[in-house]
Amino acid sequence: DTETDAEALRARALSTLTAARDRTTLLTSCVEEPDLTAQHSPLMSPLVWDLAHIGNQEELWLLRTVAGREAMRPEIDSLYDAFEHPRSARPSLPLLAPEEARGYAAEVRGRVMDVLESTAFHGTRLTEAGFAFGMIAQHEQQHDETMLITHQLRTGPPVLTAPDPEPAPLYTGPAEVLVPGGPFTMGTSDEPWALDNEKPAHVRDVAPYWIDTTPVTNGAYQAFLADGGYGDARWWAPEGWAHIRRHGIEAPLFWRRDGGQWLRRRFGVTEVVPPDEPVLHVCWYEADAYARWAGRRLPTEAEWEKAARHDPADGRSRRYPWGDAEPSPCHANLGQRHLRPAPAGSYPAGESPLGVRQLIGDVWEWTASDLLPYPGFRAFPYKEYSEVFFGPEYKVLRGGSFAVDPVACRGTFRNWDYPIRRQIFSGFRTARSQAAT
Ligand code: AVJ
Ligand code: FE
């Protein structure tokens, strides 16, 4: 009944907020103070900015908006407003020092614990089913992924470790499957913690198409490199070609040629690029060029979601490829359990009804689509989460990476970035339209 549902969601709010803070603590306590305030890349904020921004957003939404409390430190708000200062300018702001930032975030969290107990999980749109608490847990986890990207960009000896994924039996299934054409339900109207851009559920018709059963591997991508793919304008969108020429891009980010092989740097360790692992740290232009070289194309966002959610047996859209159950470690590589994607073809228990694997977890997958609102979209609770990004400047990524927590990952979850970005944990799979008969 509704009471029990509300109590289950309250328990989930508590455990997801706690898990997010544990991860934030891990990511900000494994380096010394200078590494928290340093600019490791102009693309990223200093780690200490993310830390205080996490606390500031939590204060803004849970203490001030939900609970109606006064601002704790109104003078710091503008420092942590993501729209006021570009990332590259943040190191020179008068930011809270690491100890102050930790103290501030902890104090906010302490007060939030009381608010969580005393807030009804119904009555307003913001508190319905604990949405605001789920939104803030997702926000913190998204910044934890951002901080993990900063760790990957940081030079110096490794500070993070995690076990490798279980060795997977070699995948011997088909390379692609046919997704039947016809309507399916895209987006959601009943996922309690879905963010505004995932809503509402609506019917989309797609023509039949073939889609890769696994993400494109380093081995396959290396064949593109070996074939001179980065030197052949035929494969590249014109802006992509201009971009890689201007910046001398010849391989995925963090790769380095060493005699006859490719090496890569991964969280402070240099290793031979593993051929069976999904390719990582490519931009949209690189994914698009590879697909064209392979005689294929990137899937549209609707094609990606249909492959991930549509059950041809009953016509329903599932929450995840494997069904409606929350992700577990046998379904997908999520939550920074590992510091790398698992070999292509891993997680048979996580495959979709049509046999598509690793749609969730491992690598964010570039799609062909621009970030646009669904029909009936309403910005909620703030325009700056998605609405201000709608348009042709951003490409959609789907499915989440090994660095995404399950609370911020579902078959409907949408991510986006500029098509030149590749410091993110991005890879892709390819598709093709069914040949007309
Ligand atoms: C949805 C990942 C593009 O990190 O810029 C964090 C998420 N929004 N704080 C981002 C977000 C506000 C956002 N992305
Ligand atoms: Fe943010």
Side-chain angles (χ1 to χ4, degrees), residues 165-217:
E166 294 284 301
L170 190 69
Y171 175 70
T172 54
E176 60 176 352
V177 293
L178 179 65
V179 181
F184 85 105
T185 301
M186 186 171 185
T188 177
S189 297
D190 52 21
E191 188 67 49
W193 293 355
L195 303 176
D196 59 1
N197 62 47
E198 301 166 68
K199 303 194 263 191
H202 60 287
V203 173
R204 282 284 177 111
D205 213 335
V206 291
Y209 61 99
W210 294 83
I211 191 163
D212 293 343
T213 47
T214 74
V216 170
T217 64

Side-chain angles (χ1 to χ4, degrees), residues 49 53 57 82 139 143 382:
W49 185 91
H53 168 79
Q57 286 287 299
H139 180 260
H143 278 275
Y382 62 115

Side-chain angles (χ1 to χ4, degrees), residues 82-99:
F83 291 85
E84 281 209 32
H85 314 279
R87 283 178 173 182
S88 59
R90 291 174 192 166
S92 50
L93 298 173
L95 301 177
L96 298 186
E99 223 24 69

